[in-house]
Amino acid sequence: MVALPILKTRPDEELAPPRSVRLSLTDRCDLACIYCRPDKRDGYRNERLDLDAWKTMMRGLVAAGVRRVRLTGGEPLLHPEVVDVVRFLGTLGLDDLALTTNATRLARLATPLRAAGLRRINVSLDTLDPERFRRMTRGGRLDVVQGGIEAARAAGYDEIKLNAVVVRGENDDEIEGLVRWSWERGIVPRLLEVMGVGEGAKLLDRVVPASEMRARLAHLVASGEPTREPDRGPAKYLVARHDPNKRVGFITGTTDTYCKGCDRLRVASDGVLRPCLATNDGLAAGSFARSGDAEGIARAVADAWTMKPDGDVWKGCTEEAAADVSMRGIGG
Ligand code: SAM
């Protein structure tokens, strides 16, 4: 077990165990979004957990108090056993089981994943223009992703959300279009500020603040301050003016960090437990996972959690350390 240097830890009384975890099932991805990675040849980790090791990891996480799991990556649908992983997670009695995907493989997997117990899906989609999509993802096909979204709609998920990272001069003229397109399909749109993580650190002069996004949507959304949903991460939502059942979310990773109260742990594809998205600090737990030691995982989770940065002093993705982090590797 290797404990990397820690930041300022939270006071003991705040150390409730992590309830929400993101598993980066694989660091592989078939796209190279401009704010995430430099190109498709930027290298992958050699060390990876197999299905049995992931099962141990998941048992250990639940033993440590985790109640909500999101599968991410990399691109989680590239993991050859993603349906088996979901099926296993479905047996653990979790409060929530969700997945974040670029949807390139969702057309084929939406129904099997739903049948295996997946409840909610977030699809990342930044533009509705095929040529722009190809450019922003370095080679992706919009029609394939839209086919994946249609398959998910047909499969009857509890909820589908769309995550769009807004980059000035790239897709900021599509804010309204993406919101309307989502609403028309029963999808909840969420607009993300570029965060200074990985390649995003090179685009900080092109951040569109959430306040500006809201102003551009003022004719569509109710006035007032956006609000968070309990146990549902950092997004803040406003409802549509004409329909309280429709809403749009804003994620302010840059202009207003939300580290205070963050209860999220990440598990990287090599089994390293990562208490914060914005640093490479973590605690290696892959050997426990490989040897079937779920109790060892639970103890490692408790140790890793003491490394959670203090949200009063640590400002997440605005910290310099964030630029050295691979979102793909640790699970965005
Ligand atoms: N491959 C999956 C996908 O595309 O949804 C999951 C992994 S991806 C790293 C998770 C999310 O992180 C995506 O919605 C992506 O847009 C977002 N993301 C990656 N780098 C980002 C950055 N620098 N700023 C804001 N969001 C970022």
Side-chain angles (χ1 to χ4, degrees):
M1 188 192 313
V2 182
L4 299 171
I6 64 168
L7 305 160
K8 182 175 179 294
T9 51
R10 289 161 183 249
D12 278 351
E13 60 273 18
E14 284 184 29
L15 274 175
R19 296 183 56 75
S20 168
V21 73
R22 298 192 155 219
L23 307 181
S24 178
L25 268 195
T26 172
D27 61 343
R28 270 74 175 154
C29 190
D30 49 346
L31 301 179
C33 297
I34 54 172
Y35 43 74
C36 189
R37 61 194 289 207
D39 54 53
K40 285 189 195 155
R41 299 179 309 272
D42 59 345
Y44 293 123
R45 294 192 169 124
N46 291 325
E47 204 186 342
R48 276 186 284 170
L49 302 186
D50 63 15
L51 179 61
D52 282 341
W54 272 119
K55 285 183 177 176
T56 302
M57 177 64 75
M58 294 182 267
R59 279 202 306 271
L61 289 164
V62 169
V66 166
R67 302 298 310 150
R68 309 172 64 81
V69 172
R70 175 171 294 277
L71 301 177
T72 177
E75 173 45 45
L77 301 191
L78 292 184
H79 193 289
E81 289 157 320
V82 62
V83 176
D84 297 314
V85 170
V86 167
R87 193 173 296 114
F88 180 76
L89 280 166
T91 66
L92 297 179
L94 296 165
D95 295 341
D96 191 29
L97 178 51
L99 172 118
T100 298
T101 176
N102 64 23
T104 59
R105 301 198 171 195
L106 197 53
R108 188 168 56 81
L109 286 167
T111 298
L113 286 168
R114 180 68 178 139
L118 189 66
R119 300 179 208 167
R120 305 189 299 120
I121 286 198
N122 288 4
V123 174
S124 303
L125 176 60
D126 304 328
T127 173
L128 298 169
D129 176 275
E131 180 49 32
R132 195 178 271 183
F133 184 78
R134 197 185 58 72
R135 197 172 59 238
M136 288 187 78
T137 58
R138 298 197 181 92
R141 278 184 46 193
L142 178 64
D143 60 330
V144 172
V145 169
Q146 288 180 320
I149 293 174
E150 282 316 307
R153 291 178 68 213
Y157 281 91
D158 293 356
E159 183 178 67
I160 304 176
K161 288 183 179 142
L162 181 141
N163 284 348
V165 179
V166 181
V167 185
R168 195 178 298 285
E170 200 69 50
N171 64 342
D172 57 322
D173 56 344
E174 286 190 72
I175 291 174
E176 179 173 341
L178 285 161
V179 170
R180 287 188 185 276
W181 188 89
S182 304
W183 282 350
E184 281 160 14
R185 287 162 180 77
I187 295 171
V188 180
R190 306 190 320 163
L191 303 167
L192 282 71
E193 294 176 352
V194 175
M195 295 187 283
V197 180
E199 285 295 286
K202 298 178 186 161
L203 294 174
L204 289 176
D205 56 341
R206 296 169 73 184
V207 173
V208 179
S211 55
E212 183 180 331
M213 300 184 207
R214 277 170 57 193
R216 293 206 206 174
L217 292 171
H219 57 295
L220 287 184
V221 295
S223 52
E225 279 307 300
T227 51
R228 253 164 113 146
E229 294 176 349
D231 267 346
R232 284 290 162 93
K236 291 184 178 170
Y237 293 88
L238 284 174
V239 294
R241 252 176 211 275
H242 63 286
D243 183 349
N245 294 315
K246 292 186 165 66
R247 63 202 205 284
V248 54
F250 303 90
I251 302 186
T252 57
T254 294
T255 62
D256 182 12
T257 58
Y258 30 75
C259 303
K260 196 170 163 57
C262 171
D263 70 346
R264 223 171 242 183
L265 177 72
R266 289 178 160 84
V267 184
S269 51
D270 54 3
V272 175
L273 306 176
R274 312 278 297 248
C276 172
L277 172 64
T279 87
N280 279 317
D281 289 359
L283 196 149
S287 57
F288 294 118
R290 281 190 205 90
S291 63
D293 184 358
E295 283 176 19
I297 297 283
R299 285 194 305 274
V301 168
D303 287 346
W305 206 232
T306 66
M307 298 161 68
K308 185 85 174 159
D310 182 334
D312 282 325
V313 292
W314 178 253
K315 295 299 165 215
C317 300
T318 64
E319 302 281 349
E320 261 178 44
D324 295 328
V325 170
S326 162
M327 186 92 102
R328 181 170 62 73
I330 86 164

PDB file of all heavy atoms in Angstrom, residues 29 35-36 72-76 100-102 122 124 126 163 165 192-197 200 327-328 332, ligand 1:
ATOM      1  N   CYS A  29     -10.305   5.135 -24.180  1.00  0.00           N
ATOM      2  CA  CYS A  29     -11.427   5.884 -24.751  1.00  0.00           C
ATOM      3  C   CYS A  29     -11.249   5.917 -26.258  1.00  0.00           C
ATOM      4  O   CYS A  29     -10.124   5.956 -26.752  1.00  0.00           O
ATOM      5  CB  CYS A  29     -11.507   7.297 -24.186  1.00  0.00           C
ATOM      6  SG  CYS A  29     -13.050   8.133 -24.654  1.00  0.00           S
ATOM      7  N   TYR A  35     -10.863  19.061 -24.568  1.00  0.00           N
ATOM      8  CA  TYR A  35     -10.607  19.521 -23.199  1.00  0.00           C
ATOM      9  C   TYR A  35     -10.154  18.375 -22.293  1.00  0.00           C
ATOM     10  O   TYR A  35      -9.989  18.566 -21.099  1.00  0.00           O
ATOM     11  CB  TYR A  35     -11.878  20.164 -22.611  1.00  0.00           C
ATOM     12  CG  TYR A  35     -13.111  19.364 -22.927  1.00  0.00           C
ATOM     13  CD1 TYR A  35     -13.382  18.170 -22.279  1.00  0.00           C
ATOM     14  CD2 TYR A  35     -13.994  19.784 -23.920  1.00  0.00           C
ATOM     15  CE1 TYR A  35     -14.480  17.404 -22.596  1.00  0.00           C
ATOM     16  CE2 TYR A  35     -15.105  19.022 -24.260  1.00  0.00           C
ATOM     17  CZ  TYR A  35     -15.337  17.832 -23.586  1.00  0.00           C
ATOM     18  OH  TYR A  35     -16.416  17.080 -23.911  1.00  0.00           O
ATOM     19  N   CYS A  36     -10.021  17.175 -22.863  1.00  0.00           N
ATOM     20  CA  CYS A  36      -9.739  16.008 -22.018  1.00  0.00           C
ATOM     21  C   CYS A  36      -8.348  15.443 -22.254  1.00  0.00           C
ATOM     22  O   CYS A  36      -7.592  15.236 -21.319  1.00  0.00           O
ATOM     23  CB  CYS A  36     -10.792  14.937 -22.260  1.00  0.00           C
ATOM     24  SG  CYS A  36     -10.713  13.547 -21.097  1.00  0.00           S
ATOM     25  N   THR A  72     -17.671   5.065 -14.941  1.00  0.00           N
ATOM     26  CA  THR A  72     -17.220   6.061 -15.901  1.00  0.00           C
ATOM     27  C   THR A  72     -15.862   5.609 -16.426  1.00  0.00           C
ATOM     28  O   THR A  72     -15.531   4.435 -16.406  1.00  0.00           O
ATOM     29  CB  THR A  72     -17.227   7.468 -15.258  1.00  0.00           C
ATOM     30  OG1 THR A  72     -16.710   8.400 -16.203  1.00  0.00           O
ATOM     31  CG2 THR A  72     -16.441   7.552 -13.974  1.00  0.00           C
ATOM     32  N   GLY A  73     -15.083   6.545 -16.930  1.00  0.00           N
ATOM     33  CA  GLY A  73     -13.791   6.146 -17.471  1.00  0.00           C
ATOM     34  C   GLY A  73     -12.959   7.380 -17.811  1.00  0.00           C
ATOM     35  O   GLY A  73     -13.194   8.436 -17.224  1.00  0.00           O
ATOM     36  N   GLY A  74     -12.171   7.242 -18.779  1.00  0.00           N
ATOM     37  CA  GLY A  74     -12.200   6.440 -19.986  1.00  0.00           C
ATOM     38  C   GLY A  74     -13.638   6.287 -20.503  1.00  0.00           C
ATOM     39  O   GLY A  74     -14.521   7.021 -20.105  1.00  0.00           O
ATOM     40  N   GLU A  75     -13.781   5.353 -21.373  1.00  0.00           N
ATOM     41  CA  GLU A  75     -15.127   5.073 -21.869  1.00  0.00           C
ATOM     42  C   GLU A  75     -15.555   3.718 -21.308  1.00  0.00           C
ATOM     43  O   GLU A  75     -15.059   2.680 -21.749  1.00  0.00           O
ATOM     44  CB  GLU A  75     -15.139   5.101 -23.404  1.00  0.00           C
ATOM     45  CG  GLU A  75     -16.442   4.660 -24.018  1.00  0.00           C
ATOM     46  CD  GLU A  75     -17.672   5.271 -23.343  1.00  0.00           C
ATOM     47  OE1 GLU A  75     -17.705   6.476 -23.070  1.00  0.00           O
ATOM     48  OE2 GLU A  75     -18.619   4.505 -23.058  1.00  0.00           O
ATOM     49  N   PRO A  76     -16.486   3.727 -20.348  1.00  0.00           N
ATOM     50  CA  PRO A  76     -16.820   2.472 -19.657  1.00  0.00           C
ATOM     51  C   PRO A  76     -17.371   1.394 -20.594  1.00  0.00           C
ATOM     52  O   PRO A  76     -17.207   0.209 -20.326  1.00  0.00           O
ATOM     53  CB  PRO A  76     -17.859   2.897 -18.613  1.00  0.00           C
ATOM     54  CG  PRO A  76     -18.368   4.219 -19.071  1.00  0.00           C
ATOM     55  CD  PRO A  76     -17.254   4.865 -19.810  1.00  0.00           C
ATOM     56  N   THR A 100     -21.747   7.006 -16.944  1.00  0.00           N
ATOM     57  CA  THR A 100     -21.468   8.154 -17.819  1.00  0.00           C
ATOM     58  C   THR A 100     -20.758   7.622 -19.052  1.00  0.00           C
ATOM     59  O   THR A 100     -19.776   6.879 -18.929  1.00  0.00           O
ATOM     60  CB  THR A 100     -20.560   9.171 -17.100  1.00  0.00           C
ATOM     61  OG1 THR A 100     -21.238   9.654 -15.939  1.00  0.00           O
ATOM     62  CG2 THR A 100     -20.260  10.370 -17.986  1.00  0.00           C
ATOM     63  N   THR A 101     -21.244   7.996 -20.245  1.00  0.00           N
ATOM     64  CA  THR A 101     -20.708   7.410 -21.473  1.00  0.00           C
ATOM     65  C   THR A 101     -20.693   8.431 -22.611  1.00  0.00           C
ATOM     66  O   THR A 101     -21.476   9.378 -22.605  1.00  0.00           O
ATOM     67  CB  THR A 101     -21.571   6.203 -21.897  1.00  0.00           C
ATOM     68  OG1 THR A 101     -21.085   5.697 -23.140  1.00  0.00           O
ATOM     69  CG2 THR A 101     -23.033   6.557 -22.047  1.00  0.00           C
ATOM     70  N   ASN A 102     -19.829   8.165 -23.589  1.00  0.00           N
ATOM     71  CA  ASN A 102     -19.876   8.987 -24.800  1.00  0.00           C
ATOM     72  C   ASN A 102     -20.872   8.423 -25.805  1.00  0.00           C
ATOM     73  O   ASN A 102     -21.060   9.003 -26.878  1.00  0.00           O
ATOM     74  CB  ASN A 102     -18.479   9.120 -25.415  1.00  0.00           C
ATOM     75  CG  ASN A 102     -17.906   7.792 -25.901  1.00  0.00           C
ATOM     76  OD1 ASN A 102     -18.622   6.850 -26.192  1.00  0.00           O
ATOM     77  ND2 ASN A 102     -16.579   7.735 -26.008  1.00  0.00           N
ATOM     78  N   ASN A 122     -25.835   9.081 -18.089  1.00  0.00           N
ATOM     79  CA  ASN A 122     -25.453  10.409 -18.553  1.00  0.00           C
ATOM     80  C   ASN A 122     -24.683  10.246 -19.857  1.00  0.00           C
ATOM     81  O   ASN A 122     -23.720   9.473 -19.906  1.00  0.00           O
ATOM     82  CB  ASN A 122     -24.506  11.103 -17.554  1.00  0.00           C
ATOM     83  CG  ASN A 122     -25.224  11.541 -16.296  1.00  0.00           C
ATOM     84  OD1 ASN A 122     -26.415  11.279 -16.116  1.00  0.00           O
ATOM     85  ND2 ASN A 122     -24.502  12.189 -15.409  1.00  0.00           N
ATOM     86  N   SER A 124     -22.405  12.175 -22.720  1.00  0.00           N
ATOM     87  CA  SER A 124     -21.642  13.400 -22.982  1.00  0.00           C
ATOM     88  C   SER A 124     -21.802  13.759 -24.446  1.00  0.00           C
ATOM     89  O   SER A 124     -21.483  12.957 -25.326  1.00  0.00           O
ATOM     90  CB  SER A 124     -20.161  13.162 -22.663  1.00  0.00           C
ATOM     91  OG  SER A 124     -20.042  12.739 -21.328  1.00  0.00           O
ATOM     92  N   ASP A 126     -21.509  17.470 -26.817  1.00  0.00           N
ATOM     93  CA  ASP A 126     -21.248  18.912 -26.740  1.00  0.00           C
ATOM     94  C   ASP A 126     -21.835  19.709 -27.899  1.00  0.00           C
ATOM     95  O   ASP A 126     -21.860  20.941 -27.845  1.00  0.00           O
ATOM     96  CB  ASP A 126     -19.730  19.166 -26.722  1.00  0.00           C
ATOM     97  CG  ASP A 126     -19.025  18.433 -25.581  1.00  0.00           C
ATOM     98  OD1 ASP A 126     -19.651  18.270 -24.530  1.00  0.00           O
ATOM     99  OD2 ASP A 126     -17.859  18.038 -25.769  1.00  0.00           O
ATOM    100  N   ASN A 163     -24.607  15.692 -20.833  1.00  0.00           N
ATOM    101  CA  ASN A 163     -23.553  16.574 -20.317  1.00  0.00           C
ATOM    102  C   ASN A 163     -22.891  17.279 -21.488  1.00  0.00           C
ATOM    103  O   ASN A 163     -22.314  16.614 -22.356  1.00  0.00           O
ATOM    104  CB  ASN A 163     -22.463  15.762 -19.610  1.00  0.00           C
ATOM    105  CG  ASN A 163     -22.901  15.285 -18.240  1.00  0.00           C
ATOM    106  OD1 ASN A 163     -23.920  15.719 -17.711  1.00  0.00           O
ATOM    107  ND2 ASN A 163     -22.139  14.377 -17.670  1.00  0.00           N
ATOM    108  N   VAL A 165     -19.994  20.118 -22.337  1.00  0.00           N
ATOM    109  CA  VAL A 165     -18.957  21.065 -21.901  1.00  0.00           C
ATOM    110  C   VAL A 165     -18.985  22.234 -22.883  1.00  0.00           C
ATOM    111  O   VAL A 165     -18.909  22.033 -24.101  1.00  0.00           O
ATOM    112  CB  VAL A 165     -17.566  20.395 -21.913  1.00  0.00           C
ATOM    113  CG1 VAL A 165     -16.489  21.394 -21.482  1.00  0.00           C
ATOM    114  CG2 VAL A 165     -17.546  19.176 -20.998  1.00  0.00           C
ATOM    115  N   LEU A 192     -21.652  22.269 -18.645  1.00  0.00           N
ATOM    116  CA  LEU A 192     -20.454  22.246 -17.796  1.00  0.00           C
ATOM    117  C   LEU A 192     -19.486  23.342 -18.206  1.00  0.00           C
ATOM    118  O   LEU A 192     -19.225  23.525 -19.411  1.00  0.00           O
ATOM    119  CB  LEU A 192     -19.711  20.914 -17.941  1.00  0.00           C
ATOM    120  CG  LEU A 192     -20.224  19.672 -17.227  1.00  0.00           C
ATOM    121  CD1 LEU A 192     -21.514  19.158 -17.856  1.00  0.00           C
ATOM    122  CD2 LEU A 192     -19.167  18.576 -17.277  1.00  0.00           C
ATOM    123  N   GLU A 193     -18.952  24.021 -17.229  1.00  0.00           N
ATOM    124  CA  GLU A 193     -17.793  24.870 -17.495  1.00  0.00           C
ATOM    125  C   GLU A 193     -16.585  23.986 -17.784  1.00  0.00           C
ATOM    126  O   GLU A 193     -16.450  22.909 -17.186  1.00  0.00           O
ATOM    127  CB  GLU A 193     -17.475  25.737 -16.263  1.00  0.00           C
ATOM    128  CG  GLU A 193     -18.542  26.747 -15.943  1.00  0.00           C
ATOM    129  CD  GLU A 193     -18.256  27.535 -14.659  1.00  0.00           C
ATOM    130  OE1 GLU A 193     -17.290  27.187 -13.943  1.00  0.00           O
ATOM    131  OE2 GLU A 193     -18.998  28.478 -14.384  1.00  0.00           O
ATOM    132  N   VAL A 194     -15.712  24.442 -18.679  1.00  0.00           N
ATOM    133  CA  VAL A 194     -14.441  23.749 -18.856  1.00  0.00           C
ATOM    134  C   VAL A 194     -13.717  23.806 -17.514  1.00  0.00           C
ATOM    135  O   VAL A 194     -13.672  24.853 -16.864  1.00  0.00           O
ATOM    136  CB  VAL A 194     -13.551  24.454 -19.903  1.00  0.00           C
ATOM    137  CG1 VAL A 194     -12.178  23.794 -19.974  1.00  0.00           C
ATOM    138  CG2 VAL A 194     -14.218  24.456 -21.261  1.00  0.00           C
ATOM    139  N   MET A 195     -13.155  22.673 -17.097  1.00  0.00           N
ATOM    140  CA  MET A 195     -12.373  22.658 -15.858  1.00  0.00           C
ATOM    141  C   MET A 195     -10.896  22.536 -16.203  1.00  0.00           C
ATOM    142  O   MET A 195     -10.529  21.905 -17.199  1.00  0.00           O
ATOM    143  CB  MET A 195     -12.807  21.487 -14.989  1.00  0.00           C
ATOM    144  CG  MET A 195     -14.235  21.631 -14.514  1.00  0.00           C
ATOM    145  SD  MET A 195     -14.702  20.358 -13.339  1.00  0.00           S
ATOM    146  CE  MET A 195     -14.961  18.960 -14.366  1.00  0.00           C
ATOM    147  N   GLY A 196     -10.067  23.071 -15.351  1.00  0.00           N
ATOM    148  CA  GLY A 196      -8.630  23.073 -15.621  1.00  0.00           C
ATOM    149  C   GLY A 196      -7.970  21.755 -15.312  1.00  0.00           C
ATOM    150  O   GLY A 196      -6.866  21.701 -14.760  1.00  0.00           O
ATOM    151  N   VAL A 197      -8.641  20.675 -15.680  1.00  0.00           N
ATOM    152  CA  VAL A 197      -8.098  19.328 -15.485  1.00  0.00           C
ATOM    153  C   VAL A 197      -7.539  18.860 -16.820  1.00  0.00           C
ATOM    154  O   VAL A 197      -8.197  19.005 -17.852  1.00  0.00           O
ATOM    155  CB  VAL A 197      -9.213  18.355 -15.040  1.00  0.00           C
ATOM    156  CG1 VAL A 197      -8.656  16.965 -14.832  1.00  0.00           C
ATOM    157  CG2 VAL A 197      -9.886  18.857 -13.785  1.00  0.00           C
ATOM    158  N   GLY A 200      -7.947  20.490 -20.297  1.00  0.00           N
ATOM    159  CA  GLY A 200      -8.806  21.635 -19.987  1.00  0.00           C
ATOM    160  C   GLY A 200      -8.010  22.822 -19.470  1.00  0.00           C
ATOM    161  O   GLY A 200      -8.403  23.979 -19.644  1.00  0.00           O
ATOM    162  N   MET A 327      -8.343  13.055 -16.463  1.00  0.00           N
ATOM    163  CA  MET A 327      -9.750  12.778 -16.141  1.00  0.00           C
ATOM    164  C   MET A 327     -10.116  11.381 -16.620  1.00  0.00           C
ATOM    165  O   MET A 327     -10.852  10.644 -15.980  1.00  0.00           O
ATOM    166  CB  MET A 327     -10.607  13.815 -16.862  1.00  0.00           C
ATOM    167  CG  MET A 327     -12.047  13.774 -16.543  1.00  0.00           C
ATOM    168  SD  MET A 327     -12.429  14.868 -15.201  1.00  0.00           S
ATOM    169  CE  MET A 327     -13.128  16.240 -16.037  1.00  0.00           C
ATOM    170  N   ARG A 328      -9.570  11.010 -17.756  1.00  0.00           N
ATOM    171  CA  ARG A 328      -9.821   9.712 -18.362  1.00  0.00           C
ATOM    172  C   ARG A 328      -9.327   8.586 -17.456  1.00  0.00           C
ATOM    173  O   ARG A 328      -9.940   7.526 -17.351  1.00  0.00           O
ATOM    174  CB  ARG A 328      -9.055   9.707 -19.690  1.00  0.00           C
ATOM    175  CG  ARG A 328      -9.149   8.535 -20.535  1.00  0.00           C
ATOM    176  CD  ARG A 328      -8.518   8.876 -21.873  1.00  0.00           C
ATOM    177  NE  ARG A 328      -7.103   9.216 -21.805  1.00  0.00           N
ATOM    178  CZ  ARG A 328      -6.109   8.359 -21.592  1.00  0.00           C
ATOM    179  NH1 ARG A 328      -6.388   7.101 -21.402  1.00  0.00           N
ATOM    180  NH2 ARG A 328      -4.857   8.754 -21.562  1.00  0.00           N
ATOM    181  N   GLY A 332     -13.851  10.752 -14.715  1.00  0.00           N
ATOM    182  CA  GLY A 332     -14.461  12.101 -14.683  1.00  0.00           C
ATOM    183  C   GLY A 332     -15.930  12.042 -14.349  1.00  0.00           C
ATOM    184  O   GLY A 332     -16.500  10.984 -14.210  1.00  0.00           O
TER     185      GLY A 332
HETATM  186  N1  SAM B   1     -16.105   8.629 -21.740  1.00  0.00           N
HETATM  187  C1  SAM B   1     -17.187   8.971 -20.880  1.00  0.00           C
HETATM  188  C2  SAM B   1     -17.891  10.205 -21.378  1.00  0.00           C
HETATM  189  O1  SAM B   1     -17.484  10.748 -22.402  1.00  0.00           O
HETATM  190  O2  SAM B   1     -18.883  10.585 -20.776  1.00  0.00           O
HETATM  191  C3  SAM B   1     -16.821   9.133 -19.411  1.00  0.00           C
HETATM  192  C4  SAM B   1     -15.535   9.802 -19.064  1.00  0.00           C
HETATM  193  S1  SAM B   1     -15.443  11.527 -19.409  1.00  0.00           S
HETATM  194  C5  SAM B   1     -13.860  11.893 -18.780  1.00  0.00           C
HETATM  195  C6  SAM B   1     -16.570  12.178 -18.194  1.00  0.00           C
HETATM  196  C7  SAM B   1     -16.997  13.598 -18.376  1.00  0.00           C
HETATM  197  O3  SAM B   1     -15.907  14.431 -18.123  1.00  0.00           O
HETATM  198  C8  SAM B   1     -17.525  13.947 -19.755  1.00  0.00           C
HETATM  199  O4  SAM B   1     -18.808  14.491 -19.645  1.00  0.00           O
HETATM  200  C9  SAM B   1     -16.533  14.971 -20.238  1.00  0.00           C
HETATM  201  O5  SAM B   1     -17.133  15.908 -21.075  1.00  0.00           O
HETATM  202  C10 SAM B   1     -16.047  15.573 -18.947  1.00  0.00           C
HETATM  203  N2  SAM B   1     -14.772  16.259 -19.022  1.00  0.00           N
HETATM  204  C11 SAM B   1     -13.566  15.761 -19.372  1.00  0.00           C
HETATM  205  N3  SAM B   1     -12.606  16.703 -19.286  1.00  0.00           N
HETATM  206  C12 SAM B   1     -13.215  17.840 -18.868  1.00  0.00           C
HETATM  207  C13 SAM B   1     -12.758  19.155 -18.578  1.00  0.00           C
HETATM  208  N4  SAM B   1     -11.483  19.513 -18.707  1.00  0.00           N
HETATM  209  N5  SAM B   1     -13.666  20.060 -18.158  1.00  0.00           N
HETATM  210  C14 SAM B   1     -14.975  19.717 -18.013  1.00  0.00           C
HETATM  211  N6  SAM B   1     -15.459  18.489 -18.254  1.00  0.00           N
HETATM  212  C15 SAM B   1     -14.587  17.559 -18.685  1.00  0.00           C
END
